[in-house]
Amino acid sequence: MKAGPPDMPELPEVETIRRDLEARVLGRHITGVVIAPETGKPVPVLKGIDEASFREGVAGARIEGVERRGKYLALRLDTRLLLIVHLRMTGALLRRTADAPPDRFLRAVLKLDDGSELRFTDIRKFGGLWLAEDYSDVTTALGPEPLSEGFTVEGLTVALAGRKAPVKSIILDQRRIAGIGNIYADEACFAAAIDPRRLGAKVTEAEIEALHAAVREVLLRGVESRGASFRDYQDANGKQGNMQMYVKVFRRTGKPCYTCETPIERVKVGGRSTHFCPTCQR
DNA sequence: CTTATTCCCTGATTGC
DNA sequence: TGCAATCAGGGAATAA
Protein backbone atom coordinates (compact mmCIF):
# COMPACT_ATOMS: atom_id res chain seq x y z
CA MET A 1 0.00 0.00 0.00
CA LYS A 2 1.26 3.43 -0.95
CA ALA A 3 2.29 5.70 1.89
CA GLY A 4 1.08 9.24 2.28
CA PRO A 5 -1.49 11.27 4.16
CA PRO A 6 -4.78 9.59 4.97
CA ASP A 7 -7.56 9.54 2.44
CA MET A 8 -10.97 10.56 3.59
CA PRO A 9 -14.29 8.90 3.04
CA GLU A 10 -16.43 11.00 0.72
CA LEU A 11 -19.74 10.26 -0.97
CA PRO A 12 -18.56 7.26 -3.05
CA GLU A 13 -16.76 5.68 -0.09
CA VAL A 14 -19.71 6.11 2.28
CA GLU A 15 -22.12 4.90 -0.41
CA THR A 16 -20.01 1.78 -0.91
CA ILE A 17 -20.19 1.04 2.81
CA ARG A 18 -23.92 1.73 2.80
CA ARG A 19 -24.55 -0.77 0.02
CA ASP A 20 -22.38 -3.41 1.67
CA LEU A 21 -24.18 -2.99 4.97
CA GLU A 22 -27.65 -2.85 3.46
CA ALA A 23 -27.10 -6.30 2.02
CA ARG A 24 -25.91 -7.71 5.33
CA VAL A 25 -27.59 -6.02 8.29
CA LEU A 26 -31.09 -5.11 7.11
CA GLY A 27 -33.63 -6.59 9.51
CA ARG A 28 -31.05 -7.50 12.14
CA HIS A 29 -31.58 -6.53 15.76
CA ILE A 30 -28.89 -4.70 17.72
CA THR A 31 -28.26 -6.80 20.81
CA GLY A 32 -25.56 -4.78 22.50
CA VAL A 33 -23.14 -1.88 22.47
CA VAL A 34 -19.51 -1.86 23.57
CA ILE A 35 -17.57 1.37 23.87
CA ALA A 36 -13.82 0.81 23.66
CA PRO A 37 -11.61 2.15 26.46
CA GLU A 38 -9.98 5.48 25.64
CA THR A 39 -6.40 5.47 24.39
CA GLY A 40 -4.33 8.62 24.04
CA LYS A 41 -6.28 11.81 24.63
CA PRO A 42 -9.85 11.08 25.72
CA VAL A 43 -12.41 12.03 23.06
CA PRO A 44 -15.95 10.65 23.41
CA VAL A 45 -17.02 8.59 20.38
CA LEU A 46 -20.68 9.17 21.25
CA LYS A 47 -21.72 12.70 20.37
CA GLY A 48 -24.29 14.55 22.44
CA ILE A 49 -25.41 11.50 24.39
CA ASP A 50 -24.10 9.51 27.33
CA GLU A 51 -23.28 5.83 27.05
CA ALA A 52 -26.23 4.59 29.11
CA SER A 53 -28.79 6.57 27.10
CA PHE A 54 -27.22 5.46 23.83
CA ARG A 55 -27.30 1.82 24.89
CA GLU A 56 -30.90 2.12 26.02
CA GLY A 57 -31.81 3.80 22.73
CA VAL A 58 -30.35 1.17 20.40
CA ALA A 59 -30.39 -2.12 22.31
CA GLY A 60 -33.10 -4.41 20.98
CA ALA A 61 -33.86 -2.11 18.04
CA ARG A 62 -34.37 -3.55 14.57
CA ILE A 63 -32.42 -2.07 11.61
CA GLU A 64 -35.04 -1.06 9.06
CA GLY A 65 -32.83 0.86 6.66
CA VAL A 66 -29.24 1.77 5.87
CA GLU A 67 -29.10 5.33 4.58
CA ARG A 68 -26.60 7.90 3.41
CA ARG A 69 -26.91 11.68 3.38
CA GLY A 70 -23.82 13.45 2.11
CA LYS A 71 -20.96 11.85 4.00
CA TYR A 72 -23.23 10.76 6.85
CA LEU A 73 -24.25 7.10 7.14
CA ALA A 74 -27.29 6.12 9.21
CA LEU A 75 -29.02 3.02 10.45
CA ARG A 76 -32.75 3.68 10.56
CA LEU A 77 -34.14 1.90 13.60
CA ASP A 78 -37.68 0.67 14.19
CA THR A 79 -37.80 3.07 17.13
CA ARG A 80 -37.88 5.89 14.55
CA LEU A 81 -34.43 6.99 15.64
CA LEU A 82 -31.39 7.27 13.38
CA LEU A 83 -28.06 5.87 14.50
CA ILE A 84 -25.90 8.30 12.56
CA VAL A 85 -22.21 7.72 11.80
CA HIS A 86 -19.65 10.14 10.38
CA LEU A 87 -16.24 8.71 9.47
CA ARG A 88 -14.57 12.10 9.02
CA MET A 89 -10.95 11.42 8.09
CA THR A 90 -9.92 7.98 9.25
CA GLY A 91 -13.11 6.28 10.42
CA ALA A 92 -14.20 2.84 9.22
CA LEU A 93 -17.33 0.81 9.83
CA LEU A 94 -16.42 -2.86 9.58
CA ARG A 95 -18.72 -5.83 9.58
CA ARG A 96 -16.95 -8.63 11.40
CA THR A 97 -17.83 -11.99 12.88
CA ALA A 98 -17.74 -11.91 16.66
CA ASP A 99 -14.68 -14.17 16.74
CA ALA A 100 -12.70 -12.04 14.26
CA PRO A 101 -9.31 -10.78 15.51
CA PRO A 102 -9.33 -7.45 17.34
CA ASP A 103 -9.21 -4.30 15.19
CA ARG A 104 -6.74 -1.52 15.93
CA PHE A 105 -8.11 1.91 16.79
CA LEU A 106 -11.44 0.41 17.84
CA ARG A 107 -13.85 2.97 19.26
CA ALA A 108 -17.25 1.26 19.43
CA VAL A 109 -18.98 -2.03 18.61
CA LEU A 110 -22.61 -2.76 17.77
CA LYS A 111 -23.44 -6.42 18.35
CA LEU A 112 -26.10 -7.94 16.09
CA ASP A 113 -28.46 -10.87 16.58
CA ASP A 114 -26.83 -13.02 13.88
CA GLY A 115 -23.56 -13.10 15.80
CA SER A 116 -21.90 -10.45 13.66
CA GLU A 117 -20.59 -7.08 14.80
CA LEU A 118 -20.31 -3.60 13.37
CA ARG A 119 -17.00 -2.21 14.52
CA PHE A 120 -16.33 1.52 14.35
CA THR A 121 -12.59 2.25 14.19
CA ASP A 122 -11.00 5.69 13.92
CA ILE A 123 -7.30 6.54 14.14
CA ARG A 124 -7.74 10.29 14.54
CA LYS A 125 -10.94 10.31 16.56
CA PHE A 126 -12.62 12.98 14.42
CA GLY A 127 -15.56 10.73 13.66
CA GLY A 128 -18.42 9.72 15.90
CA LEU A 129 -21.85 8.24 16.49
CA TRP A 130 -25.09 10.08 17.15
CA LEU A 131 -28.60 8.97 18.03
CA ALA A 132 -31.11 11.43 16.64
CA GLU A 133 -34.48 11.86 15.03
CA ASP A 134 -33.07 13.57 11.95
CA TYR A 135 -29.83 14.59 10.25
CA SER A 136 -30.62 18.21 11.02
CA ASP A 137 -30.13 17.39 14.71
CA VAL A 138 -26.45 16.64 14.14
CA THR A 139 -25.37 18.81 11.23
CA THR A 140 -25.96 22.13 9.51
CA ALA A 141 -28.39 22.04 6.58
CA LEU A 142 -27.00 19.87 3.80
CA GLY A 143 -27.23 20.76 0.12
CA PRO A 144 -28.72 18.45 -2.53
CA GLU A 145 -27.43 14.97 -3.21
CA PRO A 146 -25.25 15.37 -6.33
CA LEU A 147 -26.38 12.03 -7.77
CA SER A 148 -30.06 12.86 -7.33
CA GLU A 149 -32.35 14.97 -9.48
CA GLY A 150 -32.21 17.62 -6.79
CA PHE A 151 -28.77 18.62 -8.04
CA THR A 152 -29.35 20.86 -11.03
CA VAL A 153 -27.43 23.25 -13.25
CA GLU A 154 -29.76 25.98 -11.99
CA GLY A 155 -28.96 25.19 -8.37
CA LEU A 156 -25.25 25.13 -9.06
CA THR A 157 -25.58 28.47 -10.86
CA VAL A 158 -27.16 29.99 -7.75
CA ALA A 159 -24.45 28.48 -5.54
CA LEU A 160 -21.72 30.12 -7.63
CA ALA A 161 -23.44 33.40 -8.48
CA GLY A 162 -21.69 36.48 -7.16
CA ARG A 163 -19.44 34.47 -4.91
CA LYS A 164 -15.88 35.56 -4.21
CA ALA A 165 -14.86 32.17 -2.85
CA PRO A 166 -12.85 29.80 -5.07
CA VAL A 167 -14.97 27.36 -7.05
CA LYS A 168 -13.34 24.44 -5.26
CA SER A 169 -14.28 25.84 -1.85
CA ILE A 170 -17.88 26.25 -3.02
CA ILE A 171 -18.31 22.66 -4.21
CA LEU A 172 -16.65 21.44 -0.98
CA ASP A 173 -19.23 23.36 1.06
CA GLN A 174 -21.68 20.71 2.32
CA ARG A 175 -24.44 23.32 2.52
CA ARG A 176 -24.22 23.81 -1.28
CA ILE A 177 -23.73 20.18 -2.36
CA ALA A 178 -23.58 17.25 0.02
CA GLY A 179 -20.84 14.64 -0.13
CA ILE A 180 -17.91 16.11 -2.07
CA GLY A 181 -14.50 16.05 -0.36
CA ASN A 182 -10.98 16.89 -1.39
CA ILE A 183 -10.40 14.04 -3.86
CA TYR A 184 -13.57 14.46 -5.90
CA ALA A 185 -13.44 18.27 -5.76
CA ASP A 186 -10.03 18.26 -7.47
CA GLU A 187 -11.12 15.59 -9.95
CA ALA A 188 -14.33 17.46 -10.79
CA CYS A 189 -12.47 20.72 -11.44
CA PHE A 190 -10.08 18.87 -13.76
CA ALA A 191 -12.91 17.11 -15.61
CA ALA A 192 -14.59 20.50 -16.10
CA ALA A 193 -11.28 22.15 -17.15
CA ILE A 194 -11.72 24.86 -14.50
CA ASP A 195 -8.90 26.22 -12.34
CA PRO A 196 -10.00 25.36 -8.79
CA ARG A 197 -8.82 28.79 -7.57
CA ARG A 198 -11.17 30.67 -9.90
CA LEU A 199 -13.81 32.70 -8.07
CA GLY A 200 -17.35 31.36 -8.23
CA ALA A 201 -18.62 34.57 -9.83
CA LYS A 202 -16.14 34.16 -12.69
CA VAL A 203 -17.40 30.77 -13.85
CA THR A 204 -19.30 31.01 -17.12
CA GLU A 205 -22.65 29.46 -17.93
CA ALA A 206 -21.07 26.85 -20.19
CA GLU A 207 -18.51 26.02 -17.51
CA ILE A 208 -21.20 25.60 -14.87
CA GLU A 209 -22.85 23.01 -17.10
CA ALA A 210 -19.52 21.26 -17.51
CA LEU A 211 -18.90 21.37 -13.76
CA HIS A 212 -22.35 19.96 -13.02
CA ALA A 213 -21.68 17.05 -15.37
CA ALA A 214 -18.14 16.62 -14.03
CA VAL A 215 -19.27 16.37 -10.40
CA ARG A 216 -21.71 13.62 -11.30
CA GLU A 217 -19.20 11.85 -13.54
CA VAL A 218 -16.38 11.66 -10.98
CA LEU A 219 -18.71 10.64 -8.15
CA LEU A 220 -20.33 7.93 -10.29
CA ARG A 221 -16.92 6.61 -11.25
CA GLY A 222 -15.98 6.66 -7.57
CA VAL A 223 -19.02 4.59 -6.64
CA GLU A 224 -18.37 2.16 -9.52
CA SER A 225 -14.77 1.82 -8.29
CA ARG A 226 -15.92 1.20 -4.70
CA GLY A 227 -14.13 4.32 -3.49
CA ALA A 228 -10.54 5.52 -3.36
CA SER A 229 -7.98 3.89 -1.05
CA PHE A 230 -4.79 5.92 -1.03
CA ARG A 231 -4.08 4.65 2.46
CA ASP A 232 -6.73 4.18 5.13
CA TYR A 233 -10.08 3.82 3.44
CA GLN A 234 -11.69 0.38 3.59
CA ASP A 235 -15.22 -0.77 2.93
CA ALA A 236 -17.50 -2.60 5.37
CA ASN A 237 -15.70 -5.84 4.53
CA GLY A 238 -12.26 -4.35 5.18
CA LYS A 239 -11.46 -4.24 1.44
CA GLN A 240 -9.84 -1.36 -0.44
CA GLY A 241 -11.40 0.61 -3.27
CA ASN A 242 -9.94 1.14 -6.75
CA MET A 243 -10.67 4.79 -7.55
CA GLN A 244 -7.09 5.83 -6.69
CA MET A 245 -6.05 4.12 -9.93
CA TYR A 246 -8.28 6.37 -12.01
CA VAL A 247 -7.63 9.82 -10.53
CA LYS A 248 -6.27 12.35 -12.99
CA VAL A 249 -4.82 14.97 -10.64
CA PHE A 250 -5.30 14.12 -6.95
CA ARG A 251 -1.87 13.50 -5.36
CA ARG A 252 -0.21 13.41 -8.78
CA THR A 253 1.95 16.48 -7.98
CA GLY A 254 4.85 16.75 -10.46
CA LYS A 255 3.59 13.91 -12.62
CA PRO A 256 2.61 14.60 -16.24
CA CYS A 257 -0.99 15.47 -17.01
CA TYR A 258 -2.56 12.57 -18.92
CA THR A 259 -3.92 15.04 -21.46
CA CYS A 260 -1.05 17.48 -22.10
CA GLU A 261 1.93 16.16 -20.09
CA THR A 262 2.31 19.42 -18.11
CA PRO A 263 3.39 18.56 -14.55
CA ILE A 264 0.47 18.57 -12.12
CA GLU A 265 0.77 21.41 -9.60
CA ARG A 266 -0.16 21.48 -5.94
CA VAL A 267 -1.38 24.62 -4.16
CA LYS A 268 -3.50 25.47 -1.11
CA VAL A 269 -7.09 26.49 -1.69
CA GLY A 270 -9.16 27.29 1.38
CA GLY A 271 -6.52 25.58 3.48
CA ARG A 272 -6.80 22.32 1.54
CA SER A 273 -4.21 20.65 -0.69
CA THR A 274 -5.31 21.20 -4.24
CA HIS A 275 -4.02 19.48 -7.38
CA PHE A 276 -4.57 20.71 -10.91
CA CYS A 277 -3.13 20.95 -14.42
CA PRO A 278 -2.11 24.58 -15.10
CA THR A 279 -2.47 24.02 -18.85
CA CYS A 280 -5.79 22.18 -19.04
CA GLN A 281 -7.50 24.10 -16.26
CA ARG A 282 -8.14 27.79 -16.66
C1' DC B 1 -25.63 36.83 4.55
C1' DT B 2 -20.28 36.37 3.31
C1' DT B 3 -15.08 34.79 3.63
C1' DA B 4 -11.02 33.49 6.35
C1' DT B 5 -8.90 31.25 10.25
C1' DT B 6 -8.33 28.00 14.11
C1' DC B 7 -8.96 23.80 16.22
C1' DC B 8 -9.33 18.87 17.01
C1' DC B 9 -6.08 14.18 16.65
C1' DT B 10 -2.21 10.96 15.60
C1' DG B 11 0.61 8.17 12.11
C1' DA B 12 3.77 9.15 8.53
C1' DT B 13 7.14 11.97 6.85
C1' DT B 14 10.69 15.44 6.96
C1' DG B 15 14.55 17.93 8.93
C1' DC B 16 18.52 18.45 11.64
C1' DT C 1 20.73 6.73 14.16
C1' DG C 2 17.17 9.41 16.96
C1' DC C 3 13.94 12.63 18.13
C1' DA C 4 11.27 16.82 17.39
C1' DA C 5 8.73 19.43 14.17
C1' DT C 6 5.55 19.35 10.46
C1' DC C 7 1.76 17.74 7.77
C1' DA C 8 -2.84 15.87 6.39
C1' DG C 9 -7.97 17.29 6.63
C1' DG C 10 -14.10 17.44 7.63
C1' DG C 11 -16.62 20.21 9.79
C1' DA C 12 -17.69 23.11 13.80
C1' DA C 13 -16.69 27.31 15.97
C1' DT C 14 -15.11 31.80 15.82
C1' DA C 15 -13.75 36.21 13.93
C1' DA C 16 -14.34 40.03 11.04
Side-chain angles (χ1 to χ4, degrees), chain A residues 2 13 183-184 187 221-222 224-230 240-250 252 258:
Chain A
K2 193 172 168 182
E13 290 73 27
I183 299 173
Y184 298 93
E187 293 300 310
R221 166 151 292 206
E224 286 168 9
S225 306
R226 297 186 58 80
S229 296
F230 287 91
Q240 307 231 309
N242 299 304
M243 182 66 187
Q244 69 281 3
M245 299 193 286
Y246 304 113
V247 298
K248 305 275 180 58
V249 290
F250 188 75
R252 293 197 65 248
Y258 292 126

Side-chain angles (χ1 to χ4, degrees), chain A residues 17 21 25 34 36 45 73 75 85 87 90-112 115-122 129 234-238:
Chain A
I17 295 170
L21 291 183
V25 309
V34 178
V45 64
L73 185 78
L75 303 180
V85 182
L87 305 174
T90 56
L93 196 59
L94 300 161
R95 184 179 179 277
R96 302 287 202 205
T97 55
D99 62 355
D103 284 285
R104 295 184 73 193
F105 313 111
L106 184 73
R107 303 229 63 206
V109 182
L110 301 175
K111 293 179 173 294
L112 305 184
S116 69
E117 297 180 346
L118 290 183
R119 299 182 184 177
F120 178 67
T121 65
D122 190 8
L129 311 179
Q234 46 189 330
D235 65 26
N237 302 312

Side-chain angles (χ1 to χ4, degrees), chain A residues 105-144:
Chain A
F105 313 111
L106 184 73
R107 303 229 63 206
V109 182
L110 301 175
K111 293 179 173 294
L112 305 184
D113 61 359
D114 62 353
S116 69
E117 297 180 346
L118 290 183
R119 299 182 184 177
F120 178 67
T121 65
D122 190 8
I123 298 171
R124 296 202 186 164
K125 303 181 180 176
F126 283 8
L129 311 179
W130 293 257
L131 193 58
E133 292 184 3
D134 194 78
Y135 299 94
S136 59
D137 297 331
V138 311
T139 184
T140 53
L142 294 169

Side-chain angles (χ1 to χ4, degrees), chain A residues 30 54 58 73-75 77 81-85 110 129-131:
Chain A
I30 299 173
F54 184 85
V58 305
L73 185 78
L75 303 180
L77 307 179
L81 289 175
L82 289 174
L83 198 173
I84 299 177
V85 182
L110 301 175
L129 311 179
W130 293 257
L131 193 58

Side-chain angles (χ1 to χ4, degrees), chain A residues 240-280:
Chain A
Q240 307 231 309
N242 299 304
M243 182 66 187
Q244 69 281 3
M245 299 193 286
Y246 304 113
V247 298
K248 305 275 180 58
V249 290
F250 188 75
R251 286 199 193 146
R252 293 197 65 248
T253 312
K255 293 180 178 160
C257 171
Y258 292 126
T259 303
C260 73
E261 299 187 356
T262 303
I264 300 302
E265 286 187 15
R266 189 177 101 152
V267 295
K268 288 275 184 190
V269 176
R272 298 290 179 251
S273 294
T274 299
H275 314 75
F276 71 105
C277 172
T279 301
C280 294

